[in-house]
Amino acid sequence: MKKLLMVCGVAAMMFGATSCNKTSSSDNANQGFGDSLSVAMGSAQGSRLLSEYMTLPEEQQANYKKDDILRGLKQVIMTDTTQQGYLTGFQFGMQLFGQILRYEEAGVPIDRNKLYEAYAKAFSADSVDSDQMRELQTEFQALAQQAQQKMMEYYQKQEAAAREAKENSPEAKENVAKGEAYLKDQMAKDPEIKVTESGLAYKVIKAGEGEAVGANGSAKVKYVGKLIDGKEFDSNSEGVVMNPNRVVPGFGEGLSMMKNGSKYVLYIPGKLAYGVDGNPQAGIAPNAMLVFEVETSDVTPAK
């Protein structure tokens, strides 16, 4: 699908490019400028497409060979600009092609010959009856909604399968085990560590005073976040206003219990942190347990 979007983008770009060539080629004084622009446009757009192409997995690159892409692109840009009908048909064809691929990807078979025959018959008619057109659109919309439902079910299954694969990956399972072992060891050393029903573990260093932040309150927060190996991945020593419902679940639950002047240590299991996705930019692996030292001030309790 990503490759299709790239090809469509190039095709759309070239529709505009061909319409411009007609005026620039008629002006001999601008021929040199036009040649420079042509080379610059081709080099820049070709390099851009290559950069996107190189992000595709090897198996997808094998399905979208460079020679085939260039052959399709050349067919469009070399088309006589007087053949506006052909270019219009190509544009509508690309739109239909995108729809066809989305349906087929979701398991909805499309007979392309039947589609074309029906399209050609309808378009080649001498006139169109508004009532008949309304009936046809109503029929299509009903079928399209059914197809959309099938597509939604397909993508939901794909997402569920991808999520299950992440959850069952060796790295994710290993990190869960490491987190559990780490917390067990910490609790054996320090009986003041408590665990909530959700699995969040915490230690109260300083209780603070007044009302707790609550689920919908806010507080100014200073914090240091570390992995279980002691590596720091984030911190804020000046303080930043936070809401419990706008951070990862484990941090939010801990913050909601804190009061003005509180200081806690939070032991957040992966399922209450960044889960199986992790946070690669911060160096947080899938299902990694996080340890936060958190201080609160300027508490505004939930109302």
Side-chain angles (χ1 to χ4, degrees):
M1 291 304 294
K2 178 179 179 182
K3 188 69 196 75
L4 171 65
L5 292 176
M6 289 194 293
V7 174
C8 287
V10 172
M13 175 195 71
M14 292 307 173
F15 282 131
T18 51
S19 65
C20 293
N21 286 341
K22 186 175 182 180
T23 57
S24 61
S25 62
S26 64
D27 189 350
N28 293 329
N30 287 330
Q31 187 63 53
F33 173 77
D35 290 346
S36 298
L37 178 60
S38 301
V39 173
M41 181 187 299
S43 298
Q45 296 293 343
S47 296
R48 181 178 178 181
L49 180 58
L50 175 62
S51 69
E52 295 183 18
Y53 181 85
M54 296 304 295
T55 64
L56 295 173
E58 290 185 4
E59 59 272 17
Q60 289 191 32
Q61 290 187 21
N63 292 332
Y64 299 105
K65 297 179 180 179
K66 289 185 178 181
D67 287 344
D68 292 338
I69 294 172
L70 290 173
R71 181 163 52 86
L73 181 133
K74 185 176 182 180
Q75 181 178 352
V76 176
I77 66 174
M78 294 301 180
T79 300
D80 188 340
T81 55
T82 62
Q83 298 182 22
Q84 294 298 318
Y86 175 81
L87 293 174
T88 299
F90 188 94
Q91 188 173 21
F92 282 115
M94 289 297 294
Q95 293 174 358
L96 275 176
F97 186 66
Q99 287 182 287
I100 291 170
L101 287 189
R102 287 193 292 273
Y103 286 143
E104 291 180 340
E105 185 180 38
V108 180
I110 299 296
D111 188 316
R112 303 185 188 200
N113 287 324
K114 289 183 178 179
L115 186 154
Y116 174 76
E117 289 172 2
Y119 195 113
K121 179 180 179 181
F123 182 66
S124 300
D126 294 330
S127 62
V128 58
D129 180 83
S130 59
D131 291 334
Q132 182 184 17
M133 186 171 65
R134 191 179 302 109
E135 290 178 4
L136 291 171
Q137 289 296 327
T138 300
E139 180 184 5
F140 170 66
Q141 289 299 326
L143 292 171
Q145 287 179 2
Q146 295 180 41
Q148 187 68 30
Q149 181 63 35
K150 291 179 181 293
M151 291 171 64
M152 187 179 300
E153 292 172 357
Y154 169 80
Y155 289 125
Q156 288 174 344
K157 289 180 180 179
Q158 290 289 98
E159 291 177 3
R163 175 66 54 179
E164 184 178 358
K166 287 183 178 180
E167 291 174 349
N168 292 323
S169 70
E171 183 181 17
K173 289 185 174 181
E174 182 182 4
N175 288 333
V176 170
K178 286 181 177 179
E180 291 174 347
Y182 173 81
L183 181 57
K184 183 178 180 180
D185 180 63
Q186 294 299 308
M187 293 182 70
K189 296 177 181 177
D190 191 344
E192 293 185 7
I193 298 176
K194 301 177 182 179
V195 182
T196 67
E197 291 185 4
S198 70
L200 170 70
Y202 68 98
K203 177 180 179 179
V204 179
I205 306 298
K206 187 177 179 181
E209 56 185 18
E211 294 185 55
V213 175
N216 299 312
S218 64
K220 188 174 183 179
V221 180
K222 297 180 181 180
Y223 64 89
V224 177
K226 297 180 180 180
L227 305 176
I228 59 176
D229 62 4
K231 181 180 179 180
E232 182 178 315
F233 63 85
D234 194 11
S235 66
N236 189 305
S237 59
E238 296 182 358
V240 59
V241 176
M242 290 186 174
N243 304 89
N245 55 8
R246 296 184 180 178
V247 291
V248 296
F251 194 99
E253 182 181 355
L255 179 58
S256 69
M257 297 187 291
M258 299 177 71
K259 304 175 182 179
N260 197 51
S262 292
K263 183 175 181 179
Y264 283 28
V265 178
L266 306 178
Y267 303 87
I268 307 176
K271 66 179 183 179
L272 299 177
Y274 291 97
V276 294
D277 293 322
N279 187 336
Q281 291 183 338
I284 299 173
N287 279 343
M289 172 171 276
L290 309 180
V291 182
F292 280 93
E293 294 180 6
V294 185
E295 298 180 61
T296 53
S297 61
D298 300 337
V299 170
T300 301
K303 296 181 180 180

